[in-house]
Amino acid sequence: MKLDILAFGAHPDDVELGCGGTLAKEIAAGKKVGVVDLTRGELGTRGTADIRDQEAAKAAEVLGLAVRENLGMRDGFFVNDEAHQRKIIEVLRKYRPDIVICNAIDDRHIDHGKGSKLASDACFLSGLRRIETMQDGQPQEAWRPKVVYHYMQWKNIEPDVAVDISGFIDKKIESVLAYGSQFYDPNSDEPETAISSKAFLDGVRFRAQDLGRLIGTDYAEGFTVERYVAVERLSDLK
């Protein structure tokens, strides 16, 4: 299956928080979109890896993803080396996305920056035909995405691009709330974490609202780029 867009997250829920509205909008426009989680989030304070597997499947259904995979890397301890790069290269060559979206380039959680660089490096390496990979006993063809973007996470990184997600903010929030073990639940007996407060959940909407304000829309999501954004003419810019 060829995908139009493939989004990577170091943990289940990273993608929903970072670009859930953008993915929902692209899916509504008929694009085929997939998500690859690098780890199962097994080091998380709340919930379990099995619970998060179930939540990730629910979030995928909410968004309408064409595919979701988990690479089973070690939460907190994966590294950017050949073995891990090859896992991502195999996925890239399997789905051949035109657009890849990765974790934030720098963030509070060490896995986010690591996952960002790992996925980005693999996107380049995937285009080198002398790197040989296999799928179902057959050699894979080299494939390099046309563009790579990075979403925002905990830190307020200055975005290079803002995507209007007006009309899709509720779908984004619904996909985030699929992770019931992780986010605000007044009836939960789980320990408090940095993301389990009502203030954090409210902040997901407020950030999107503030970015929307800056570009003259109701809600937006921000991304950083690895190379200049190119347009045919100035009138293409809003």
Side-chain angles (χ1 to χ4, degrees), residues 61-75:
E61 185 176 348
V62 168
L63 290 174
L65 299 178
V67 64
R68 185 167 206 152
E69 290 192 17
N70 193 299
L71 296 185
M73 297 178 183
R74 291 183 64 201
D75 190 9

Side-chain angles (χ1 to χ4, degrees), residues 25-39:
K25 184 174 184 177
E26 294 290 353
I27 291 167
K31 300 294 186 182
K32 288 185 178 180
V33 177
V35 168
V36 172
D37 302 306
L38 303 187
T39 78

Side-chain angles (χ1 to χ4, degrees), residues 7-155:
F8 288 90
H11 314 102
D13 75 25
D14 283 356
V15 169
E16 288 81 1
L17 286 166
C19 61
T22 298
L23 297 189
K25 184 174 184 177
E26 294 290 353
I27 291 167
K31 300 294 186 182
K32 288 185 178 180
V33 177
V35 168
V36 172
D37 302 306
L38 303 187
T39 78
R40 298 174 68 203
E42 63 269 20
L43 292 184
T45 301
R46 295 161 66 101
T48 65
D50 288 340
I51 288 173
R52 297 188 77 172
D53 289 344
Q54 297 168 16
E55 293 170 341
K58 182 179 179 181
E61 185 176 348
V62 168
L63 290 174
L65 299 178
V67 64
R68 185 167 206 152
E69 290 192 17
N70 193 299
L71 296 185
M73 297 178 183
R74 291 183 64 201
D75 190 9
F77 295 100
F78 68 83
V79 295
N80 187 0
D81 64 5
E82 180 180 350
H84 290 78
Q85 290 164 358
R86 280 184 173 274
K87 284 188 175 184
I88 296 180
I89 290 170
E90 289 170 4
V91 169
L92 291 167
R93 291 177 174 181
K94 177 181 179 180
Y95 293 116
R96 296 174 294 145
D98 295 316
I99 297 172
V100 163
I101 309 177
C102 308
N103 280 97
I105 56 175
D106 176 56
D107 208 44
R108 171 180 174 271
H109 196 302
I110 61 171
D111 279 357
H112 296 169
K114 284 195 302 179
S116 174
K117 189 68 165 61
L118 170 60
S120 177
D121 287 352
C123 284
F124 177 81
L125 293 171
S126 183
L128 302 179
R129 63 183 179 84
R130 292 190 183 274
I131 296 177
E132 299 178 356
T133 56
M134 305 288 287
Q135 179 186 346
D136 300 328
Q138 299 296 320
Q140 293 180 303
E141 293 184 4
W143 180 268
R144 183 174 293 147
K146 295 177 181 177
V147 289
V148 178
Y149 299 109
H150 299 262
Y151 47 81
M152 298 167 59
Q153 296 190 258
W154 183 273
K155 292 185 178 181

Side-chain angles (χ1 to χ4, degrees), residues 1 26 81 98 103 117 133 147 156 158 168 182 202 225 230-231:
M1 179 194 303
E26 294 290 353
D81 64 5
D98 295 316
N103 280 97
K117 189 68 165 61
T133 56
V147 289
N156 286 325
E158 191 73 20
F168 294 91
Q182 301 302 302
D202 289 343
V225 301
V231 294

